[in-house]
Amino acid sequence: MSAHRTTDDVDVVIAGAGAAGLAAAVALSGAGAKVALLERKPFFGGRAYSYAHPALDEVIDSQHVLLGCCTNLIDLCNLSGASRHIRWYDSITFLEPGTEASSSETKPSRRSDICPGLLPSPGHSALSFLRAPMLSLADKSRIALGLLDFLRAYPTIDDEPFSAWLQRTHQTDRAIRHFWEPIIVGTLNDTFDRCSTRYAGQVFHESFMKSAEGGRLGIPSQPLSEFYSSVARLAEHQGTSLHLRCSIDRIEQLPGSVWKVTASDGTIHRAPNLLLALPFEQTARLLTTLPDASEHRQRIVPSLAHFTHAPITTIHLWFDRTITDLDHAALLDTRIQWMFNKTLIRRFETSQAATPGQYLELVISASFPELQQPREEILAAALAELARFFPGVRAAKLLKAGVLKEARATFSVTPGLDCFRPAADAPGDGLYLAGDWTLSGWPSTMEGAVRSGRLAAESIARAAGNAAEFLTPALPAAGLMKFFAR
Ligand SMILES: Cc1cc2nc3c(=O)[nH]c(=O)nc-3n(C[C@H](O)[C@H](O)[C@H](O)COP(=O)(O)OP(=O)(O)OC[C@H]3O[C@@H](n4cnc5c(N)ncnc54)[C@H](O)[C@@H]3O)c2cc1C
C-alpha cells in the first residue's frame, strides 16, 4: 500500500489479525459488512504464529493445542477449512520419569493414559483414571471428591485462588503434582495462587466431566501462521481487505461519529466502527493516543492496570534418530511439562520424503524463572530432564536446537480480574474491543479470543440494527451429565 493512502469506504476497521480480529472479520464480512483488517506483523495468527527461523532453517512455532469444548474455534476452523489440519487425540499420556535426576541408571518411565471408556459422562474417563499408576488410591479419592465441586457447574465468581481451593479440598501432594498441576498450569499458564478457581473449575467441568468430546485434544499440524492463513483467506474471500505490515500508531474520533486510524506507514483508515482486537497492553497504548479527557480512554485504561502477563518457553530439539513413538505426553515432576513430537504431529503435512531423526518440542508453562536464565542453561536442563523419560536421548546426537521465550504469552486469570475485563462495547460510540483478555467468559486461549471477536461482531451488527448471533453454543452435556450439569 502506498504512503498516505486513505481508506474510508468501509463499515468497520479491525486492528489486529490474531484469532480475535480474524474471527470478527469473518463474522462481519460474512454478514455483508465492508471490513478492513490491519495487522502490524507480516503474518496472521497473532500470538499463535509461526516463522522461518533463519539460523535453524526451520519453520517453528510454540505448539498450541485446543480442546473439544472450544466450540467457537472449531467452528471457525470448519468454516475456513483449517480443521483439515487439526490432529485429534482421545487419550492423554502422563509419564513419570524413569530415573532420578542424579542417577545414570536407565529405567523406563512409567506411563498413565487417561482416555474415555464405556461409562457415561461424567465417569467416561473413570476406568483409565482408576488404573493410572501415577496416583495412589488416596490421591484418586481426593481428586474424585474435589471434582464433585465442579459437577454441576463451576463458580460464577472468580474471587478464590485455586491454591486455596486445593487446600480447602485437602488435595494430596501427589494429586497436586501429578494431576492438578499438569492440567491447570498447562491450560491457565500460571501458578495456583495466580489462577482463580472459577477458570480452573471451568477447565475440569467443560473438558473432563461434561462429555468425552469436550476433553478431546486437538493439535494443529500445520505451522500456526499457515493454519490461521486459511481463516484470513476466508475473510478475504468474503470481501475483507487485508493489510499486513500495517502498524497502527494513533486513533482519533472525528466529528460525525467517524473513527480515524493512522498507521506508521502514513496510511489513514476511516470508518464508523473501529474494533481494537489487540493484546491489553497494545490496547492501552492506542487508547492513550486519545485526548486525556476522552471518555473512551477513561472508561477502559484504568482497568487495564489490573492485567498481568505470564510467559511460556519452548525448546526445539532436532535429533539424529527416533526418541519416542508418542505424539505428545505430559511429563511429570519436571520443569518441562509437555512434549510434542512435531515429526509425528506434522507427518501428514509435508510433501517431502520423511527424513530420519526426530523433531521434539518441549513446553515450559508459567516459565518465570526461565525468563532470566541463559539459553544454554535452559537447553542443558531440558535435555537432562528429557533423558529421564527417554533414555535414548543420551546416545542420540542433537543436530540443532532452539529456545523460544514468549514473555507475554498469556494474561493471567488472577482472582478478582473478571470485573476489570471489559465487554466488547464498553468504550462506546462505535469503538469496540476484542482479544482473549476481554470479557469472553474464557481464560487466555484461542477459544477465548475467537469468542471475543464474535461477541464484538455481534455488538457491531446489533448497533447497525442487525440482531445477528455469531457465537457457537457450548457442547451439550452427555450421559448422566444431562441430569447434573446446570
Ligand atoms: C507460547 C504460547 C503458547 C500458547 N499456547 C496456547 C494453547 O496451547 N492453546 C490456546 O488456546 N492458547 C494458547 N496460547 C494463547 C493464545 O495464543 C492467545 O490466547 C490467542 O492467540 C490470543 O489471540 P488474540 O487475537 O486475542 O491476540 P493476539 O494473538 O495477540 O493478536 C493481536 C494482534 O494484534 C497485532 N497488533 C498489536 N498491536 C498492533 C498495532 N498497533 N497495529 C496493528 N496490529 C497490532 C499483533 O501483531 C497481533 O497479531 C499460547 C500463547 C503463546 C504465546
Side-chain angles (χ1 to χ4, degrees), residues 119-143:
L119 294 179
S121 300
H124 52 266
S125 298
L127 294 177
S128 63
F129 178 74
L130 284 171
R131 278 195 302 264
M134 64 179 177
L135 297 161
S136 71
L137 207 55
D139 305 323
K140 288 172 188 168
S141 56
R142 276 289 145 215
I143 292 171

Side-chain angles (χ1 to χ4, degrees), residues 14-22 38-49 61-67 70 73 186-187 189 218 220 224 228 243 245-250 263 277-283 285-286 310-314 340 361 363 365 404-411 434-438 442-450 452:
I14 301 177
L22 287 168
L38 319 181
E39 165 57 49
R40 73 172 172 185
K41 298 259 176 70
F43 44 74
F44 300 105
R47 274 170 277 161
Y49 74 107
D61 57 21
S62 295
Q63 187 65 64
H64 280 49
V65 303
L66 57 144
L67 294 169
C70 297
L73 176 61
T187 51
N189 192 36
L224 287 168
Y228 277 104
H243 306 256
R245 294 191 172 87
C246 180
S247 179
I248 297 166
D249 277 354
R250 205 168 64 246
L278 309 170
F280 67 87
E281 70 282 2
Q282 292 296 329
T283 306
R285 197 185 66 74
L286 278 186
I312 296 180
T313 297
T314 53
F340 294 101
E361 180 182 326
V363 179
S365 299
L404 196 58
K405 296 181 187 180
E406 297 282 358
R408 296 174 167 185
T410 55
F411 75 90
D436 57 356
W437 59 278
T438 59
W442 274 64
S444 187
T445 52
M446 297 182 286
E447 171 69 6
V450 173
S452 76

Side-chain angles (χ1 to χ4, degrees), residues 208-231:
F208 260 71
M209 309 180 80
K210 204 167 157 192
S211 66
E213 194 184 342
R216 295 181 79 206
L217 185 73
I219 308 188
S221 51
Q222 263 185 327
L224 287 168
S225 289
E226 285 176 41
F227 184 75
Y228 277 104
S229 284
S230 309
V231 183

Side-chain angles (χ1 to χ4, degrees), residues 115-459:
C115 53
L118 294 175
L119 294 179
S121 300
H124 52 266
S125 298
L127 294 177
S128 63
F129 178 74
L130 284 171
R131 278 195 302 264
M134 64 179 177
L135 297 161
S136 71
L137 207 55
D139 305 323
K140 288 172 188 168
S141 56
R142 276 289 145 215
I143 292 171
L145 284 172
L147 284 174
L148 283 180
D149 260 16
F150 308 128
L151 184 66
R152 289 174 66 75
Y154 44 90
T156 48
I157 308 290
D158 72 332
D159 55 351
E160 185 186 41
F162 193 54
S163 49
W165 182 91
L166 290 169
Q167 229 175 11
R168 181 159 67 72
T169 59
H170 308 290
Q171 296 301 317
T172 61
D173 173 57
R174 192 166 31 193
I176 292 174
R177 285 187 292 107
H178 286 188
F179 184 75
W180 302 108
E181 188 176 292
I183 294 167
I184 287 308
V185 179
T187 51
L188 300 185
N189 192 36
D190 215 327
T191 50
F192 294 139
D193 50 338
R194 289 171 44 85
C195 293
S196 60
T197 304
R198 181 204 187 285
Y199 289 105
Q202 182 183 30
V203 170
F204 288 103
H205 179 79
E206 294 295 335
S207 67
F208 260 71
M209 309 180 80
K210 204 167 157 192
S211 66
E213 194 184 342
R216 295 181 79 206
L217 185 73
I219 308 188
S221 51
Q222 263 185 327
L224 287 168
S225 289
E226 285 176 41
F227 184 75
Y228 277 104
S229 284
S230 309
V231 183
R233 298 278 89 89
L234 170 62
E236 189 174 41
H237 180 71
Q238 293 177 168
T240 299
S241 59
L242 304 175
H243 306 256
L244 289 176
R245 294 191 172 87
C246 180
S247 179
I248 297 166
D249 277 354
R250 205 168 64 246
I251 62 172
E252 259 171 273
Q253 192 184 23
L254 303 177
S257 299
V258 170
W259 286 92
K260 177 179 164 192
V261 162
T262 308
S264 51
D265 59 2
T267 55
I268 289 171
H269 305 263
R270 285 192 286 244
N273 300 290
L274 171 60
L275 170 59
L276 302 181
L278 309 170
F280 67 87
E281 70 282 2
Q282 292 296 329
T283 306
R285 197 185 66 74
L286 278 186
L287 287 175
T288 46
T289 64
L290 293 170
D292 284 348
S294 150
E295 280 183 29
H296 314 97
R297 175 177 172 163
Q298 286 180 359
R299 267 184 217 133
I300 306 298
V301 172
S303 305
L304 301 183
H306 296 270
F307 286 79
T308 47
H309 293 107
I312 296 180
T313 297
T314 53
I315 299 140
H316 302 255
L317 305 168
W318 285 264
F319 291 101
D320 67 339
R321 65 195 71 183
T322 298
I323 300 296
T324 171
D325 56 6
L326 291 171
D327 280 26
H328 55 87
L331 307 181
L332 302 174
D333 300 325
T334 51
R335 285 295 299 153
I336 36 175
Q337 290 121 356
W338 289 89
M339 179 281 295
F340 294 101
N341 189 332
K342 303 282 260 201
T343 299
L344 293 182
I345 291 166
R346 290 183 177 175
R347 63 185 174 272
F348 300 117
E349 293 294 341
T350 168
S351 52
Q352 296 159 7
T355 45
Q358 220 162 42
Y359 166 25
L360 305 185
E361 180 182 326
L362 311 176
V363 179
I364 308 179
S365 299
S367 59
F368 294 98
E370 283 76 12
L371 280 185
Q372 318 304 331
Q373 246 181 325
R375 173 192 178 279
E376 293 310 324
E377 253 177 51
I378 297 174
L379 191 57
L383 281 167
E385 286 196 336
L386 192 66
R388 296 174 63 203
F389 296 88
F390 308 110
V393 167
R394 294 201 180 103
K397 185 170 172 202
L398 183 66
L399 302 174
K400 51 188 172 182
V403 175
L404 196 58
K405 296 181 187 180
E406 297 282 358
R408 296 174 167 185
T410 55
F411 75 90
S412 302
V413 280
T414 44
L417 186 74
D418 271 358
C419 64
F420 300 107
R421 294 176 75 180
D425 57 359
D429 290 339
L431 182 61
Y432 297 88
L433 301 176
D436 57 356
W437 59 278
T438 59
L439 196 58
S440 72
W442 274 64
S444 187
T445 52
M446 297 182 286
E447 171 69 6
V450 173
R451 283 178 64 86
S452 76
R454 289 180 158 191
L455 285 167
E458 283 185 0
S459 293

Side-chain angles (χ1 to χ4, degrees), residues 15-91:
L22 287 168
V26 167
L28 289 165
S29 56
K34 282 180 141 185
V35 179
L37 179 58
L38 319 181
E39 165 57 49
R40 73 172 172 185
K41 298 259 176 70
F43 44 74
F44 300 105
R47 274 170 277 161
Y49 74 107
S50 53
Y51 72 109
H53 192 295
L56 293 171
D57 194 24
E58 299 278 353
V59 176
I60 64 168
D61 57 21
S62 295
Q63 187 65 64
H64 280 49
V65 303
L66 57 144
L67 294 169
C69 55
C70 297
T71 52
N72 285 275
L73 176 61
I74 292 170
D75 179 60
L76 187 64
C77 293
N78 286 338
L79 290 173
S80 63
S83 50
R84 286 198 310 276
H85 304 284
I86 301 177
R87 293 179 60 79
W88 285 101
Y89 301 88
D90 287 316
S91 172

